Amino acid sequence: MNKENTILDDNRHRKKIGRQVQLPVSNAIKIAWQNIRVRLGRSLLVTSGIILAISFLSYILCSDAIAKNIAGKANQHQIEQLQRDGKLTINSEDAKTQTRWMVGLALLVSFVGVLNSMLLSVTERFREIGTMKCLGALDKLVVELFLFESMFQGLVGTSLGIIMGLSLALGEGSLTYGSAMTGLVPVVGIIKRVGICLLAGTLLTVFGALYPAWLAARMEPISAMRLEV
Amino acid sequence: MNDRAKNSDDHLLAANVVRAVDVKKVFKLGGEEVHALRGCTLSIKRGEYISIMGPSGSGKTTFFNMIGGLDKPNYGQVFIDEVDIASLDAFELAWLRCHKIGYIFQTFNLIPVQSALENVMLPMLFSGMPEADAQDKAADLLQKVGLGHRLLNKPTQLSGGQQQRVAVARALANDPAILLADEPTGNLDLKTGEEIIEMLSGLKDDFGVTVITATHDHKMLSVSDRVIYLVDGRIDRIQRREDLRITVGTIEEGH
């Protein structure tokens, strides 16, 4: 430490350079919401991707739960009747694997969709992010903005997807099994599977937004001065 | 007595709002070293109106960013309010940008999704001011820049000149010591540009802020207290206001 530094520290103490405080989360949520509303078109596109993937997942899971419940709990007469009509078949291992692959792919495609749209969002908003940093925004706020934006899309997409998939599974079940399904809807099983879908939807959107949000937070305030990408 | 002594002491300390000492900056471009700044020393006093001029490639932008706390030198020091910016961590730098410096950009850079009022409120919210207070002050500032009737308009519903006025109001939000304007008239027509220049010069007198601009705009010269000319990474010459009129005159005669 040389003399100059000591004087400096002294001054610094007197001047009281403060430490920037974090903007309340409610403000971050509000700004993220405004961002979504303005870019509604693209936002809906991403959301519809999530809806499709999650509804596929929840349809597969729930209809499987319904079929298993009926096979296990319906009375002998009903099961024989359904088997005779070819309506109650236990899927082979091969078919199950195939379905798993398809669900996995659907989730992956929707994950890439989220990632892509958030990356696009970050690159087209470089000046906005730089400006916010010039005005005193901390890295954490920038991360929050992008995560919240993605989470809104995820929340809407996942909920709608679950509703769609579940109603499809229930509708198809009642058409196929008819009266055999009365009183045999596996409520607990379905709630469990809905939970799995919620988790999948959340992970999908949060992980899809994590890298873009990190990129945005690392952006220097000086990028506000840049004229083009 | 004690108080007075302290005040004058503070005043002395605060006399130089920006001080750059032998600032050097080297960029690496494709393996080649580019010396953007080759040692610039400059002190800027509180309440001055400074224009930095120079051809592109002169290091003008780099120097401007340096004294605005947006970039750090490789060598030398930059003091803002007598605090070496190299000694600050990310949180302190953000605080400095939020409280001490108001930024005005060539491309206005308003947040497109927010209204004029919300744009001006943003730096105040960042500083931790309660929302209601921020709203009152933002409305007041917009009134002062002549946009009291357009508080709730989005940037896209405003003309270029109006957007820049909102940006000026936003820059003033936290009563900064320095207004940093990067080519503030670059995207404006002649008349609107003149209005903005007039406004900046008026702010200097009304708010006692220090205005620092990087510019090509010769209209800017007549209101500047000093004009710093950068050539090839060095301060080539500094012209004071007194000497300026003559120079501007010759430039105009030459045309």
Side-chain angles (χ1 to χ4, degrees), chain B residues 114-137:
Chain B
Q114 298 195 324
S115 67
L117 190 72
E118 287 171 316
N119 262 287
V120 181
M121 281 169 70
L122 199 58
M124 297 187 243
L125 297 179
F126 284 157
S127 79
M129 190 188 277
E131 201 157 338
D133 298 352
Q135 197 164 349
D136 291 346
K137 193 171 174 191

Short mmCIF file of all heavy atoms in Angstrom, two decimals, chain B residues 114-137:
data_model
loop_
_atom_site.label_atom_id
_atom_site.label_comp_id
_atom_site.label_asym_id
_atom_site.label_seq_id
_atom_site.Cartn_x
_atom_site.Cartn_y
_atom_site.Cartn_z
N GLN B 114 -41.49 0.57 -21.54
CA GLN B 114 -41.96 1.41 -20.44
C GLN B 114 -42.37 2.80 -20.92
O GLN B 114 -41.82 3.31 -21.89
CB GLN B 114 -40.85 1.54 -19.40
CG GLN B 114 -40.48 0.21 -18.78
CD GLN B 114 -39.66 0.37 -17.52
OE1 GLN B 114 -38.85 1.27 -17.42
NE2 GLN B 114 -39.89 -0.51 -16.56
N SER B 115 -43.30 3.40 -20.21
CA SER B 115 -43.74 4.75 -20.53
C SER B 115 -42.64 5.75 -20.16
O SER B 115 -41.67 5.40 -19.49
CB SER B 115 -45.01 5.07 -19.75
OG SER B 115 -44.71 5.15 -18.38
N ALA B 116 -42.82 6.98 -20.63
CA ALA B 116 -41.85 8.03 -20.32
C ALA B 116 -41.66 8.13 -18.81
O ALA B 116 -40.54 8.18 -18.31
CB ALA B 116 -42.32 9.36 -20.89
N LEU B 117 -42.77 8.12 -18.10
CA LEU B 117 -42.72 8.24 -16.64
C LEU B 117 -41.93 7.08 -16.02
O LEU B 117 -41.05 7.28 -15.17
CB LEU B 117 -44.14 8.27 -16.08
CG LEU B 117 -44.27 8.63 -14.60
CD1 LEU B 117 -43.97 10.10 -14.38
CD2 LEU B 117 -45.66 8.30 -14.08
N GLU B 118 -42.24 5.87 -16.46
CA GLU B 118 -41.55 4.68 -15.91
C GLU B 118 -40.06 4.71 -16.22
O GLU B 118 -39.23 4.31 -15.41
CB GLU B 118 -42.17 3.40 -16.47
CG GLU B 118 -43.54 3.10 -15.88
CD GLU B 118 -44.22 1.95 -16.60
OE1 GLU B 118 -44.20 1.91 -17.85
OE2 GLU B 118 -44.78 1.09 -15.91
N ASN B 119 -39.73 5.20 -17.45
CA ASN B 119 -38.32 5.31 -17.82
C ASN B 119 -37.57 6.22 -16.87
O ASN B 119 -36.45 5.92 -16.46
CB ASN B 119 -38.19 5.83 -19.25
CG ASN B 119 -37.99 4.72 -20.25
OD1 ASN B 119 -36.93 4.13 -20.32
ND2 ASN B 119 -39.03 4.42 -21.01
N VAL B 120 -38.18 7.36 -16.54
CA VAL B 120 -37.50 8.31 -15.66
C VAL B 120 -37.47 7.78 -14.23
O VAL B 120 -36.55 8.04 -13.46
CB VAL B 120 -38.19 9.69 -15.73
CG1 VAL B 120 -37.48 10.69 -14.85
CG2 VAL B 120 -38.22 10.19 -17.16
N MET B 121 -38.48 6.98 -13.87
CA MET B 121 -38.53 6.43 -12.51
C MET B 121 -37.46 5.35 -12.27
O MET B 121 -37.01 5.16 -11.13
CB MET B 121 -39.90 5.79 -12.26
CG MET B 121 -41.00 6.77 -11.92
SD MET B 121 -42.60 5.93 -11.96
CE MET B 121 -42.48 4.87 -10.52
N LEU B 122 -37.08 4.66 -13.35
CA LEU B 122 -36.24 3.47 -13.20
C LEU B 122 -34.95 3.69 -12.38
O LEU B 122 -34.70 2.95 -11.42
CB LEU B 122 -35.91 2.91 -14.59
CG LEU B 122 -35.45 1.46 -14.62
CD1 LEU B 122 -36.49 0.54 -14.01
CD2 LEU B 122 -35.15 1.02 -16.04
N PRO B 123 -34.13 4.72 -12.73
CA PRO B 123 -32.92 4.91 -11.92
C PRO B 123 -33.21 5.21 -10.45
O PRO B 123 -32.42 4.85 -9.58
CB PRO B 123 -32.21 6.10 -12.58
CG PRO B 123 -33.00 6.49 -13.74
CD PRO B 123 -34.23 5.68 -13.83
N MET B 124 -34.35 5.84 -10.19
CA MET B 124 -34.70 6.15 -8.80
C MET B 124 -35.08 4.86 -8.06
O MET B 124 -34.73 4.68 -6.89
CB MET B 124 -35.85 7.15 -8.75
CG MET B 124 -35.49 8.48 -9.37
SD MET B 124 -36.78 9.69 -9.13
CE MET B 124 -37.28 10.02 -10.80
N LEU B 125 -35.79 3.97 -8.75
CA LEU B 125 -36.13 2.69 -8.13
C LEU B 125 -34.84 1.89 -7.87
O LEU B 125 -34.69 1.27 -6.83
CB LEU B 125 -37.06 1.88 -9.04
CG LEU B 125 -38.43 2.52 -9.30
CD1 LEU B 125 -39.25 1.64 -10.24
CD2 LEU B 125 -39.19 2.73 -8.00
N PHE B 126 -33.91 1.95 -8.84
CA PHE B 126 -32.62 1.27 -8.65
C PHE B 126 -31.90 1.81 -7.42
O PHE B 126 -31.18 1.10 -6.75
CB PHE B 126 -31.72 1.46 -9.88
CG PHE B 126 -32.11 0.61 -11.05
CD1 PHE B 126 -31.75 0.96 -12.34
CD2 PHE B 126 -32.83 -0.57 -10.88
CE1 PHE B 126 -32.10 0.18 -13.43
CE2 PHE B 126 -33.18 -1.36 -11.96
CZ PHE B 126 -32.81 -0.98 -13.24
N SER B 127 -32.09 3.13 -7.15
CA SER B 127 -31.38 3.72 -6.02
C SER B 127 -32.07 3.41 -4.70
O SER B 127 -31.56 3.75 -3.64
CB SER B 127 -31.28 5.23 -6.21
OG SER B 127 -32.50 5.84 -5.85
N GLY B 128 -33.23 2.77 -4.77
CA GLY B 128 -33.92 2.37 -3.56
C GLY B 128 -34.99 3.35 -3.10
O GLY B 128 -35.53 3.24 -2.01
N MET B 129 -35.30 4.34 -3.94
CA MET B 129 -36.33 5.33 -3.58
C MET B 129 -37.72 4.68 -3.62
O MET B 129 -37.99 3.88 -4.52
CB MET B 129 -36.27 6.49 -4.58
CG MET B 129 -37.11 7.69 -4.20
SD MET B 129 -37.18 8.90 -5.54
CE MET B 129 -35.67 9.79 -5.30
N PRO B 130 -38.60 5.01 -2.66
CA PRO B 130 -39.95 4.46 -2.69
C PRO B 130 -40.68 4.86 -3.99
O PRO B 130 -40.46 5.95 -4.50
CB PRO B 130 -40.64 5.10 -1.49
CG PRO B 130 -39.54 5.54 -0.61
CD PRO B 130 -38.35 5.83 -1.47
N GLU B 131 -41.55 3.96 -4.46
CA GLU B 131 -42.16 4.15 -5.77
C GLU B 131 -42.95 5.46 -5.88
O GLU B 131 -42.88 6.15 -6.89
CB GLU B 131 -43.06 2.96 -6.08
CG GLU B 131 -43.33 2.82 -7.56
CD GLU B 131 -43.73 1.41 -7.96
OE1 GLU B 131 -43.40 0.46 -7.21
OE2 GLU B 131 -44.36 1.27 -9.01
N ALA B 132 -43.67 5.80 -4.83
CA ALA B 132 -44.51 7.01 -4.88
C ALA B 132 -43.66 8.26 -5.04
O ALA B 132 -43.97 9.14 -5.85
CB ALA B 132 -45.36 7.10 -3.62
N ASP B 133 -42.56 8.32 -4.28
CA ASP B 133 -41.65 9.48 -4.38
C ASP B 133 -41.04 9.56 -5.77
O ASP B 133 -40.93 10.63 -6.36
CB ASP B 133 -40.52 9.36 -3.36
CG ASP B 133 -41.04 9.36 -1.93
OD1 ASP B 133 -42.26 9.61 -1.78
OD2 ASP B 133 -40.26 9.10 -1.00
N ALA B 134 -40.63 8.37 -6.27
CA ALA B 134 -40.00 8.32 -7.59
C ALA B 134 -40.97 8.84 -8.65
O ALA B 134 -40.59 9.57 -9.55
CB ALA B 134 -39.57 6.90 -7.91
N GLN B 135 -42.22 8.47 -8.50
CA GLN B 135 -43.24 8.87 -9.48
C GLN B 135 -43.40 10.39 -9.48
O GLN B 135 -43.43 11.02 -10.54
CB GLN B 135 -44.56 8.20 -9.14
CG GLN B 135 -45.53 8.22 -10.29
CD GLN B 135 -46.66 7.24 -10.08
OE1 GLN B 135 -46.62 6.41 -9.17
NE2 GLN B 135 -47.68 7.33 -10.89
N ASP B 136 -43.47 10.98 -8.28
CA ASP B 136 -43.62 12.43 -8.19
C ASP B 136 -42.43 13.14 -8.81
O ASP B 136 -42.59 14.08 -9.59
CB ASP B 136 -43.73 12.86 -6.71
CG ASP B 136 -45.04 12.42 -6.10
OD1 ASP B 136 -45.94 12.04 -6.89
OD2 ASP B 136 -45.17 12.43 -4.86
N LYS B 137 -41.24 12.66 -8.47
CA LYS B 137 -40.04 13.33 -8.96
C LYS B 137 -39.91 13.17 -10.48
O LYS B 137 -39.52 14.11 -11.18
CB LYS B 137 -38.81 12.76 -8.27
CG LYS B 137 -37.59 13.61 -8.50
CD LYS B 137 -36.43 13.18 -7.65
CE LYS B 137 -35.19 13.98 -8.05
NZ LYS B 137 -33.97 13.44 -7.46
#
